[in-house]
Each structure stands twice: as structure tokens, then as C-alpha cells.
Amino acid sequence: MATLVISGAFVALAVVTSAANAPDPLKSIWIALQIALGIVAYFALTKSSASRLDMVKIGTVVIGCIAALSVVSYLGRTYLGLPASLTPGVAADSRLIGFSFETNIFATQCVGWLAVMYCWRQSLSRSSLWGAGILVLAVALAGTRSAWIGLGILIVVMVATKWRRSPAFIPIIAATAAVSLLAVALLPAPTGGAVESSNSLSWRLGHLLDTQSGTGAYRADIFKTALADIDTLARWLFGSGLNSFSQFHERDTTNTGRPYLSSVWYAMLYDVGLVGLVLFVVLLVVMAFRNHRRLDAFIVLSILLVCSSATNSFWMTFTWIYLALIPLHAKGGDSPEPRTLGISSPALEGSSRS
């Protein structure tokens, strides 16, 4: 009930402040509708009688196939010079994009799904765990620094919690990540044309936290402008409406198009103010506390928030679906059942005979 009330209050505030303060209210309310649909999808999945484990298995196959196709296309464009029409899943700048509209979103989908898989680590088969390796490679080749940081957090958590029931998974993920990032640093420019230095994967790896050049500097400048807007318009409490920054500014600093606030934190503060930001944070915390494995829930949430600090994915439905796929109960159809993955365990063998 608390989740429903808080989410309703957040969406209502977003709609009201968008209607009252946004230069183009309909565009802002449209974003509110997208968020509302994501929250509805969350409730639909958490209330569903279907097995979340089956959903995770199916999702692993689907996103794994998309990632595999994108990696193969990347290799074909990089080393064979295949044209863009024959290399689906690769963006114009030669980073992986999958079937998403932006490379950052695809990277978030991949690393976020790895976090969901972590929650079900005791139930996934060995083939699913090996399939996680392709997702790690896809995250590396997507060239999104926030997703790289999210992947690093996940690896540290896995090592720290000693994933004993799935001992094969840690070396699979860690080795694939190490090899992938090394390959990224050494990859040549695609034969289809040189990549700009600030867009190359190796440049991004070397400027992981750089805010003085490239996209880091671009975002920092936009965030500074956003804070100045909030202060000038006195919109600290309730904001200016969802995605209204793009309505107040027709051109970005490069004069190439409308800017938008890519960070979920700056976007929430600008769009729905401090009140909306607090409601948003409380909503996510309450969602995490609904789960049986709260630590796992906060790990998934943290990785999604790290990625959304560079590209806000909470406007999109898949983020809410990921949160819904975390195990809710200790018992029941959505509770992970431990597997030995082919590794003998006297205790488990004894319990199975009894």
C-alpha cells in the first residue's frame, strides 16, 4: 500500500507541476505518462502469479541474443569493413547500441540485467551464467562509462559476497570484463572510418571520470545551466515540469540540437523540485524494502542509479521491470531455488534423499 500511495503522489505531482510550469505542458505530461506506465508495469509483474524466475530465464536469452548479434556486427564492421546496413546493433560512432535508440540505454539494459541475474544466482543454469559473459562484452563495447562503473560495482559485490553456490560465475564475469576492457583499449579504429578521439572506446576508458573534456564537460555545463535556471525561476520546491529543460533551451552549447538533462538527479530536481526528488527516492527505497533479498535489491537499484546518473533511464519502462524482477518473497513461486551447477554437495545430496 505504501508503494502505491507514494508512486501515486509522485506521478500526481509530476502531472500538476508539468501542467502549471512547463512551457509545453502536453510534452511534459507525455513523459509523466511514460513514467506512470513503467510503475504500472512494476505493479503488474509483482502481483502476477507467473514465475519471475521463468521471466528472468527468457529475458536472459532475449537480451543475450541481442548482445551477441551486436558484438558480431561490431567485429564485422571493425575488421571486415562491413557497411552499416549489414551490421545491426552498432551505432554510427561504432559503439554497441543493440535495438535501443541510444548506446547509453543499451549499456544500462545489459549491466542492469546482469544485476538482475545476480539476484537469481542460485537458480540460473550454467549456460545462463556463461551467457552473462556476452553481456559483459556488450557493456564494454557500448563505451558508456557509467555502465563500466556499474559493472565494476557488481564485480566487487560478487567477490565480496563470495558467490559460493555459483563459483563459476565470478571468474566468468571478472575474466570477461578484464579481457573486454583490455581489448577496448587496444582496438583499432573501424575500417569504415576513423572515430573521433573523444568518442573512441579507448579515450573513454582513459577518461573514465573526466568532466573537463568530451561528453563529461558537455554534461557538466548543462548541469550548471540547469541549477542557474532553478535559482532564477525559483523552482526549487516543485520544479518546472518533466523534461522541461529542453523546452526552456532550444539549442545546446554546441548549437546542434535541444539539450536534455541526462542525469536522473538533476532531471528530478529541475522537473519536480525537492519535493518530487524526495518522493522519488522514498519510492525507490520502499520498493527495495519490499523484497526478500533487500541487499540484492539495493545492488540492482544502485547500479541502475549509477547508469542513470549519465542517462536517465527512469523515464523508460524497462528500468521499472528490472526492479519488479527482484525476488519478493522467501517462499513461493518467485523464490530462487538453489542449484549446485554440477558441483556435488553432501548436504544438498542428503536433503534430496530425505
Side-chain angles (χ1 to χ4, degrees), residues 155 158-164 166-176:
I155 292 174
M158 286 190 301
V159 174
T161 55
K162 298 179 181 179
W163 199 341
R164 293 171 182 171
S166 303
F169 196 87
I170 291 178
I172 290 171
I173 296 295
T176 307

Side-chain angles (χ1 to χ4, degrees), residues 305-324:
L305 286 172
V306 165
C307 293
S308 292
S309 295
T311 298
N312 184 6
S313 66
F314 282 87
W315 286 347
M316 283 149 272
T317 304
F318 80 87
T319 303
W320 303 97
I321 291 177
Y322 283 17
L323 294 175

Side-chain angles (χ1 to χ4, degrees), residues 71 74-75 78-79 94 96 133 136-143 148 174-190 200-206:
V71 170
Y74 177 89
L75 295 175
T78 302
Y79 294 104
S94 295
L96 264 59
V136 174
L137 183 57
V139 171
L141 295 178
W148 290 349
T176 307
V179 171
S180 299
L181 293 179
L182 179 62
V184 164
L186 300 177
L187 275 174
S200 68
L201 299 181
S202 57
W203 186 91
R204 290 172 180 273
L205 182 60

Side-chain angles (χ1 to χ4, degrees), residues 54-67:
D54 290 338
M55 296 180 190
V56 172
K57 289 179 178 178
I58 294 171
T60 298
V61 173
V62 172
I63 195 170
C65 288
I66 295 173

Side-chain angles (χ1 to χ4, degrees), residues 53 57 119-126 129 163-167 292-293 327 329-332 334-343 345 347-349 351-352:
L53 175 58
K57 289 179 178 178
C119 293
W120 295 91
R121 55 193 177 275
Q122 296 179 6
S123 302
L124 295 177
S125 64
R126 186 180 293 272
L129 299 183
W163 199 341
R164 293 171 182 171
R165 291 193 183 277
S166 303
H292 167 54
R293 299 187 175 188
H329 308 295
K331 296 180 180 180
D334 70 340
S335 178
E337 296 295 334
R339 289 176 175 266
T340 59
L341 297 180
I343 299 172
S345 170
L348 288 174
E349 289 175 359
S351 62
S352 63

Side-chain angles (χ1 to χ4, degrees), residues 79-239:
Y79 294 104
L80 301 179
L82 296 179
S85 59
L86 296 179
T87 53
V90 182
D93 61 0
S94 295
R95 294 190 291 155
L96 264 59
I97 194 172
F99 294 154
S100 301
F101 66 91
E102 187 175 304
T103 54
N104 293 354
I105 294 299
F106 178 63
T108 301
Q109 290 171 336
C110 289
V111 72
W113 194 258
L114 283 168
V116 172
M117 291 177 67
Y118 171 80
C119 293
W120 295 91
R121 55 193 177 275
Q122 296 179 6
S123 302
L124 295 177
S125 64
R126 186 180 293 272
S127 59
S128 295
L129 299 183
W130 278 104
I134 194 67
L135 293 181
V136 174
L137 183 57
V139 171
L141 295 178
T144 299
R145 287 168 284 183
S146 59
W148 290 349
I149 294 172
L151 179 60
I153 293 173
L154 183 59
I155 292 174
V156 169
V157 168
M158 286 190 301
V159 174
T161 55
K162 298 179 181 179
W163 199 341
R164 293 171 182 171
R165 291 193 183 277
S166 303
F169 196 87
I170 291 178
I172 290 171
I173 296 295
T176 307
V179 171
S180 299
L181 293 179
L182 179 62
V184 164
L186 300 177
L187 275 174
T191 55
V195 179
E196 294 181 16
S197 60
S198 61
N199 247 356
S200 68
L201 299 181
S202 57
W203 186 91
R204 290 172 180 273
L205 182 60
H207 296 75
L208 195 61
L209 301 175
D210 184 12
T211 58
Q212 303 301 316
S213 58
T215 55
Y218 174 79
R219 287 192 176 101
D221 184 65
I222 286 179
F223 297 158
K224 188 182 300 182
T225 302
L227 292 178
D229 282 354
I230 296 172
D231 195 46
T232 301
L233 298 171
R235 297 280 171 80
W236 286 101
L237 277 182
F238 300 107

